[in-house]
């Protein structure tokens, strides 16, 4: 039985996910200021330290909710493994295929994977509202990708790197959807949103942080590297996932990952205004469609549309 939530809480949840997506959209641009840092190191440090900070901030509720988290150990371990794999795949994808393509593939594939997980594991049907939003978002992301295709290809060392980067992006999308789904299961079971995110990220940090012994030699090589590393860990990871966990209290994982399609949009805008990348009209059209996708998820549709999707979670 689903919990009843009021409209105000739903709006706050959506807004929290939008803000989190905005913060995540800054990661690609931030990473460009420290290209000497291994993508494995930046991913492990950002997610690992972010996980530690989440555990510290949620220590009281984490102890209280530990029985809930461990009552479904397979779900907990699955989510934690997804958290550990995601940053390694995501940042490696951006390094191999370019920031634009890596971000687009990783984030754009997540809503589809999330919907499949909810359908097959949680037995939740896909709503018409979600499907309409996904169509707009998918076309928008595709146009956004083509709008930056030439710049991204220039960043790619070879065609093989491009293909491997896309495959890693798909893995990132799957694991992103995986830990979002897992966190949502724990929240629905009664765990505090901070506890759910902190538990998964804290467990993943146990695996991620030791890997820095082999990959993290350049993390603190100079002031720029230190600033980038700390920013990635504290702002997009710690604050971003606090907001994302809050949003998951009233938002299904499939809808939440769909809303985060704003991330590549933000990443693109930062690349244009801060890095100076030039955009084709097709890309601007893609941005418009992504905004439309977000708008559809943020407002109530007319009665006719709601009627078709009322048995599903919008």
């Amino acid at each position: 039985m689903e919990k009843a939530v009021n409209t105000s809480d739903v709006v706050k949840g959506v807004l929290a996910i939008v803000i989190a997506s905005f913060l995540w959209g800054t990661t690609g641009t931030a990473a460009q200021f420290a290209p000497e840092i291994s993508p494995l190191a930046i991913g492990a440090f950002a997610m690992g330290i972010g996980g530690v900070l989440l555990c510290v901030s949620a220590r009281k509720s984490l102890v209280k909710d530990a029985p809930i988290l461990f009552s479904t150990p397979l779900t907990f371990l699955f989510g934690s493994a997804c958290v550990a794999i995601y940053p390694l795949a995501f940042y490696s994808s951006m390094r191999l295929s370019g920031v634009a393509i890596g971000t687009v593939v990783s984030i754009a594939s997540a809503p589809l994977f999330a919907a499949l997980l909810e359908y097959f594991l949680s037995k939740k049907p896909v709503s018409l509202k979600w499907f309409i939003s996904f169509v707009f978002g998918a076309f928008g992301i595709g146009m956004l990708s083509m709008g930056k295709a030439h710049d991204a290809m220039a960043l790619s060392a070879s065609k093989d790197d491009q293909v491997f980067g896309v495959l890693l992006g798909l893995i990132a999308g799957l694991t992103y959807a995986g830990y979002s789904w897992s966190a949502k299961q724990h929240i629905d079971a009664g765990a505090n949103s901070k506890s759910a995110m902190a538990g998964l990220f804290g467990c993943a940090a146990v695996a991620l942080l030791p890997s820095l012994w082999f990959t993290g030699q350049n993390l603190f090589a100079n002031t720029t590297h230190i600033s980038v590393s700390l920013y990635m860990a504290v702002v997009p990871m710690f604050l971003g996932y606090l907001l994302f966990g809050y949003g998951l209290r009233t938002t299904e994982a499939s809808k939440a990952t769909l809303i985060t399609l704003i991330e590549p949009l933000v990443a693109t805008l930062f690349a244009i205004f801060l890095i100076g990348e030039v955009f084709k009209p097709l890309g601007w059209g893609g941005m418009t469609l992504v905004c439309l996708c977000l708008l559809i998820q943020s407002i109530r549709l007319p009665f006719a549309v709601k009627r078709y999707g009322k048995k599903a979670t919008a």
Side-chain angles (χ1 to χ4, degrees), residues 4-295:
V5 292
N6 60 49
T7 303
S8 176
D9 289 338
V10 172
V11 172
K12 289 178 182 178
V14 170
L15 181 60
I17 295 172
V18 169
I19 296 174
S21 302
F22 179 88
L23 295 179
W24 295 336
T26 66
T27 58
T29 299
Q32 290 299 300
F33 290 99
E36 297 85 4
I37 301 178
S38 162
L40 299 179
I42 197 68
F45 181 82
M47 219 67 155
I49 297 299
V52 172
L53 292 176
L54 284 171
C55 287
V56 171
S57 68
R59 57 191 181 279
K60 293 182 180 179
S61 60
L62 192 57
V63 172
K64 177 183 177 182
D65 293 335
I68 298 176
L69 301 180
F70 296 136
S71 64
T72 51
L74 291 180
T75 299
F76 182 78
L77 290 176
F78 171 72
S80 298
C82 286
V83 172
I85 295 170
Y86 170 75
L88 308 182
F90 179 59
Y91 289 105
S92 295
S93 175
M94 286 198 298
R95 186 64 58 89
L96 290 172
S97 60
V99 173
I101 299 299
T103 303
V104 164
V105 173
S106 300
I107 305 306
S109 63
L112 179 58
F113 287 127
L116 292 175
L117 286 173
E118 287 187 349
Y119 182 79
F120 288 109
L121 299 182
S122 301
K123 309 302 179 184
K124 293 181 178 179
V126 176
S127 69
L128 180 60
K129 180 178 177 180
W130 183 94
F131 181 76
I132 293 172
S133 297
F134 179 75
V135 170
F136 280 111
F139 273 103
I141 289 298
M143 293 168 64
L144 195 61
S145 175
M146 288 185 284
K148 294 187 68 179
H150 295 301
D151 293 334
M153 288 293 288
L155 293 173
S156 183
S158 70
K159 188 67 176 179
D160 288 341
D161 283 350
Q162 183 79 16
V163 173
F164 190 48
V166 169
L167 291 176
L168 285 173
L170 291 173
I171 293 173
L174 175 60
T175 52
Y176 173 30
Y179 70 71
S180 300
W181 174 83
S182 178
K184 179 63 175 173
Q185 302 311 299
H186 293 309
I187 292 170
D188 286 348
N192 183 283
S193 60
K194 292 175 63 176
S195 303
M197 299 305 295
L200 297 179
F201 277 64
C203 184
V206 175
L208 288 172
L209 292 178
S211 71
L212 294 174
W213 179 265
F214 306 100
T215 64
Q217 57 267 26
N218 290 324
L219 273 174
F220 303 107
N222 54 52
T223 304
T224 299
H225 287 194
I226 294 173
S227 300
V228 169
S229 299
L230 292 179
Y231 171 80
M232 299 278 270
V234 175
V235 180
M237 297 303 124
F238 173 57
L239 295 179
Y241 281 102
L242 274 182
L243 291 166
F244 188 64
Y246 176 84
L248 282 177
R249 296 194 304 176
T250 56
T251 310
E252 294 297 337
S254 57
K255 178 179 177 180
T257 52
L258 191 62
I259 294 171
T260 58
L261 288 180
I262 195 176
E263 178 180 343
L265 171 62
V266 171
T268 299
L269 291 175
F270 269 93
I272 291 171
F273 293 109
L274 296 183
I275 299 178
E277 293 186 5
V278 179
F279 234 69
K280 297 185 290 186
L282 186 64
W284 290 102
M287 292 185 203
T288 302
L289 289 182
V290 172
C291 290
L292 185 57
C293 163
L294 180 64
L295 180 64

